[in-house]
Amino acid sequence: MKEIWRRLKKSKTAMFGLVVLSIFIFSAVFAEFITPYNTAIKQNIRQRMQGPSTDHWFGTDGFGRDVFARVLHGSRRSLSIGFLATLASLSVGLLFGAAVGYYGGKFDAIVMRFMDILSAIPATLMALAIVAALGSNMTNLIIAIAIARIPAFVRIIRAAILGVVDLEYIEAAKAGGAGDLRIIIKHILPNIIGTLIVQTTMTTAQLIMRSASLSFLGLGIQAPEPEWGSLLSEAREFLRPAPYLMVFPGLAIVLSTLSLNLLGDGLRDALDPRLKS
């Protein structure tokens, strides 16, 4: 871990991504202490459409609600959806990817053909269909975007396991009487953890954008609850007279996904055993 941290610190872009992501996570966790949730949903028509000022850092929207509070509390939902959906798709992908990579055979062929079918369906279209069938709420949104990402995790984990499953130390573990589950958990997964970490950061960034897209289309988090995609949707009609309504939630999406991508690139280099300098 010390060696990985030393190599990671050498990348300025990765450290920038780590700092920005930490700020977003800190803001989401302590949003209620920074500004009460009530200010994000309470309407005040007298203060509607006011530009950024010392009283309202990001201005107010068409209902007089504080945009800073809405972006801040919206980060809770946007980041939660991204992280939880990634965790769900990673868990399922790890289960099937490890099984097909280790056992192979007919099980491998059946599972991978099913993953090919899922991959043939556009991810956004699949998410739209699932949300439309189940209903628009946070839980269904997580399920929808997680399902669409499972095939990618299965393929990556399967490929990583195929690269180590025939090595000598695996054969030695089998000869020593170790069970399949013990071999997978104790001997195989630790050797592909770097691939999983990098893929997880990249996937989280993608799923944050996908959840924002669905909310923008009205199939995600519903008003008046704040979420970055729904904030962009609400700002469309005020694009010319009040462009700041779209700028701030848009910047939040860009910076959060950029930080995750930069951190993922840095982790990929730091975890690469060929880069020891």
Side-chain angles (χ1 to χ4, degrees), residues 48 53 55 62 66 85 92 98 100 105 111 113-114 158 164-165 175 181 183 192 223 226 266:
R48 68 185 301 270
S53 63
D55 294 329
D66 187 79
V92 177
V100 299
V111 172
R113 297 298 76 76
F114 180 71
R158 173 181 178 271
V164 301
V165 72
L181 184 61
I183 292 174
I192 65 170

Side-chain angles (χ1 to χ4, degrees), residues 109-260:
I110 293 172
V111 172
M112 294 312 297
R113 297 298 76 76
F114 180 71
M115 294 301 158
D116 289 339
I117 295 173
L118 286 180
S119 299
I121 305 173
T124 303
L125 181 60
M126 182 189 299
L128 284 171
I130 294 173
V131 172
L134 299 179
S136 301
N137 57 54
M138 184 170 173
T139 302
N140 294 340
L141 182 59
I142 291 173
I143 294 173
I145 62 178
I147 290 176
R149 194 60 191 170
I150 289 174
F153 271 114
V154 171
R155 283 196 175 89
I156 291 169
I157 294 169
R158 173 181 178 271
I161 289 180
L162 287 176
V164 301
V165 72
D166 292 327
L167 296 180
E168 288 79 2
Y169 71 93
I170 301 297
E171 296 295 333
K174 292 180 179 178
D180 293 342
L181 184 61
R182 179 179 175 82
I183 292 174
I184 293 174
I185 294 176
K186 192 173 180 62
H187 300 288
I188 294 180
L189 291 185
N191 288 280
I192 65 170
I193 193 66
T195 301
L196 292 180
I197 292 175
V198 173
Q199 186 62 27
T200 298
T201 56
M202 300 295 189
T203 298
T204 304
Q206 295 175 5
L207 296 189
I208 288 175
M209 290 190 292
R210 191 165 297 161
S211 66
S213 300
L214 292 175
S215 295
F216 182 83
L217 296 173
L219 292 173
I221 303 299
Q222 299 298 307
E225 295 184 10
E227 194 270 342
W228 291 340
S230 61
L231 292 181
L232 287 176
S233 181
E234 294 171 2
R236 285 180 298 174
E237 57 180 306
F238 305 109
L239 180 58
R240 289 188 176 181
Y244 63 86
L245 293 177
M246 187 167 284
V247 169
F248 292 115
L251 280 176
I253 295 173
V254 170
L255 289 175
S256 62
T257 54
L258 176 64
S259 65
L260 282 163

Side-chain angles (χ1 to χ4, degrees), residues 2 13 18 27 48 56 65 67 79 98 102 124 127 140 172 178 195 208 220-221 237 255 262:
K2 290 182 179 179
T13 55
L18 179 60
S27 300
R48 68 185 301 270
H56 303 283
R65 297 172 296 194
V67 177
L79 295 179
Y102 184 79
T124 303
N140 294 340
T195 301
I208 288 175
I221 303 299
E237 57 180 306
L255 289 175
L262 293 177

